[in-house]
């Protein structure tokens, strides 16, 4: 059973523990790859990601990308330490490695230098319970404590994410559909057209997440990640330039494309992503993963209002064309 953390651990202890978690010894049974470390901290509420594109690797919203495994682990543990969640982070690490006893002993040795308890003596995960008569009660108590710690952790993570979301996205009304617009900055004219589309959606009572509405100093990667996740629908404005930029590692379009792909793979069959063609053709203006989705054609300006109304109706789930009521089986088919 883990001891609740009552105060932050010393920074030096955090750095040493980070070195254990992100060991450089690739032959160690407890070696975690970059993807595995990201998964560990994702389970603790951090919206990090990993890409196999050379030079990028670990991706974070607050520290950028391309961090080494050790630097990434040090930064994340420092934040976890401030929220007094280190025992939970350590427990999750131990559960993921192939030699949990070795990992537990190494970390316990570090903490003992600073007189920091991690596990109660009787319920240490590295020792067998010496009191056989009380083993069932001890195990039950341990599970209750672990559940309470997990619930507390989940609540803190959710509160942290909500605070970040409100800071970046603003106050989002709960009774309106939310739309995120993904587009490329092809030209000033194109940006104005996107703003016109956003204005039309807003007039139809739809809350729009658009980078043009952001305050100076807002972290764009956070806006993209939180916005796409929070939105009910994501409108992808297709142009030939958009497709080119979706494969350019250093662009916002490529970052959004990465998030979109991740969400599509996690929610197969999702109708969240709607292609809206502005220039070119669907096959040359969108990444292959969404180009075959049913979408809208805004190429002809004369059709803008009609297409906008159709789009708004779809977002409100009030389409112009409804499926007719299914009739009875005719006599000739009985």
């Amino acid at each position: 059973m883990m001891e609740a953390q009552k105060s932050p651990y010393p920074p030096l202890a955090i750095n040493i523990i980070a070195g254990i978690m992100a060991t450089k010894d690739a032959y160690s049974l407890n070696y975690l790859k970059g993807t595995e470390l990201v998964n560990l901290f994702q389970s603790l509420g951090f919206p990090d990601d990993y890409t196999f594109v050379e030079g990028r690797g670990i991706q974070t919203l607050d520290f950028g990308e391309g961090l080494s495994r050790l630097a990434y682990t040090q930064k994340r543990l420092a934040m976890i330490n401030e929220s007094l969640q280190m025992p939970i982070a350590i427990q999750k690490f131990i559960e993921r490695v192939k030699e949990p006893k070795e990992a537990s002993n190494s970390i316990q040795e570090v903490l003992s230098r600073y007189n920091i308890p991690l596990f109660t003596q009787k319920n240490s995960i590295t020792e067998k319970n010496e009191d056989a008569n009380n083993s069932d009660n001890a195990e039950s108590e341990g599970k209750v404590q672990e559940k309470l710690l997990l619930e507390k952790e989940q609540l803190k993570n959710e509160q942290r994410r909500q605070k970040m979301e409100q800071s970046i996205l603003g106050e989002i009304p709960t009774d309106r559909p939310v739309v995120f617009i993904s587009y490329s900055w092809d030209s000033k004219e194109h940006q104005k057209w996107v703003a016109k589309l956003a204005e039309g959606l807003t007039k139809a009572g739809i809350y729009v997440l658009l980078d043009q509405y952001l305050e100076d100093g807002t972290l764009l990667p956070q806006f993209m990640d939180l916005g796409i996740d929070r939105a009910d629908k994501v409108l992808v404005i297709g142009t030939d330039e958009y497709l080119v930029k979706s494969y350019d590692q250093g662009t916002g379009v490529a970052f959004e494309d990465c998030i979109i792909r991740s969400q599509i793979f996690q929610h197969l069959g999702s109708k969240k992503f709607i292609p809206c063609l502005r220039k070119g053709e669907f096959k040359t203006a969108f990444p292959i993963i969404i180009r075959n989705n049913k979408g809208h054609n805004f190429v002809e300006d004369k059709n803008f209002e009609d297409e906008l109304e159709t789009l708004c109706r779809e977002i409100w789930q009030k389409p112009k064309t409804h499926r007719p009521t299914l009739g009875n089986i005719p006599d000739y088919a009985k």
Side-chain angles (χ1 to χ4, degrees), residues 223-291:
F223 169 72
M224 296 173 194
D225 183 65
L226 294 171
I228 291 175
D229 185 62
R230 174 62 181 82
D232 301 303
K233 298 288 185 182
V234 176
L235 306 184
V236 181
I237 312 302
T239 63
D240 292 344
E241 187 71 16
Y242 182 92
L243 179 61
V244 171
K245 289 184 177 180
S246 70
Y247 296 110
D248 187 345
Q249 299 176 15
T251 65
V253 172
F255 188 80
E256 290 177 0
D257 181 65
C258 181
I259 300 171
I260 290 172
R261 288 174 184 272
S262 176
Q263 288 213 4
I264 289 176
F265 287 133
Q266 291 178 30
H267 307 284
L268 295 177
S270 171
K271 301 174 183 176
K272 179 174 181 174
F273 302 94
I274 303 175
C276 295
L277 182 65
R278 175 54 182 159
K279 292 181 180 179
E281 300 178 357
F282 277 86
K283 64 181 179 180
T284 62
F286 297 99
I288 191 170
I289 198 167
I290 62 169
R291 70 176 53 156

Side-chain angles (χ1 to χ4, degrees), residues 60-212:
T60 69
L61 298 176
D62 40 1
F63 300 115
E65 58 184 30
L67 295 172
S68 69
R69 294 167 53 257
L70 178 58
Y72 169 65
T73 303
Q74 288 174 332
K75 291 179 182 296
R76 283 292 173 247
L77 288 185
M79 296 180 69
I80 291 170
N81 189 39
E82 292 178 2
S83 60
L84 306 182
Q85 300 294 305
M86 278 299 297
I88 295 174
I90 292 170
Q91 182 68 44
K92 286 184 176 292
F93 167 72
I94 291 173
E95 291 171 353
R96 281 168 163 74
V97 297
K98 295 180 179 179
E99 290 291 343
K101 183 176 180 179
E102 178 184 328
S104 176
N105 287 340
S106 297
I107 294 176
Q108 184 68 70
E109 181 181 351
V110 174
L111 296 182
S112 65
R113 303 177 195 174
Y114 301 92
N115 298 317
I116 302 172
L118 177 59
F119 305 103
T120 59
Q121 185 175 2
K122 179 174 283 189
N123 293 305
S124 172
I125 65 171
T126 63
E127 299 175 357
K128 293 183 179 179
N129 195 319
E130 297 177 356
D131 188 354
N133 294 328
N134 295 324
S135 61
D136 291 341
N137 290 336
E139 183 179 356
S140 176
E141 180 184 352
K143 288 182 177 179
V144 170
Q145 291 296 325
E146 185 174 353
K147 182 179 180 181
L148 290 174
L149 284 172
L150 180 60
E151 290 176 350
K152 182 179 179 181
E153 171 204 7
Q154 291 174 337
L155 179 60
K156 282 192 174 184
N157 289 339
E158 180 61 25
Q159 290 174 340
R160 179 170 56 193
R161 183 173 179 84
Q162 288 178 354
K163 184 177 180 180
M164 183 184 296
E165 181 180 290
Q166 183 174 343
S167 173
I168 300 295
L169 305 182
E171 291 283 352
I172 298 179
T174 58
D175 60 341
R176 303 297 178 91
V178 179
V179 164
F180 182 95
I181 299 181
S182 174
Y183 70 105
S184 57
W185 293 0
D186 297 6
S187 63
K188 290 290 185 181
E189 179 186 359
H190 185 58
Q191 292 181 51
K192 289 180 179 179
W193 184 90
V194 172
K196 177 183 176 182
L197 175 64
E199 182 180 357
L201 294 167
T202 303
K203 288 181 177 179
I206 298 166
Y207 190 87
V208 178
L209 297 173
L210 181 67
D211 58 2
Q212 297 182 39

Side-chain angles (χ1 to χ4, degrees), residues 17-29:
I17 293 173
I20 295 173
M21 290 185 172
T23 176
K24 295 181 180 179
D25 183 4
Y27 294 100
S28 170
L29 292 175

Side-chain angles (χ1 to χ4, degrees), residues 26-40:
Y27 294 100
S28 170
L29 292 175
N30 290 341
Y31 180 87
L32 295 183
K33 300 177 182 178
T35 52
E36 295 171 318
L37 285 171
V38 168
N39 288 336
L40 168 63

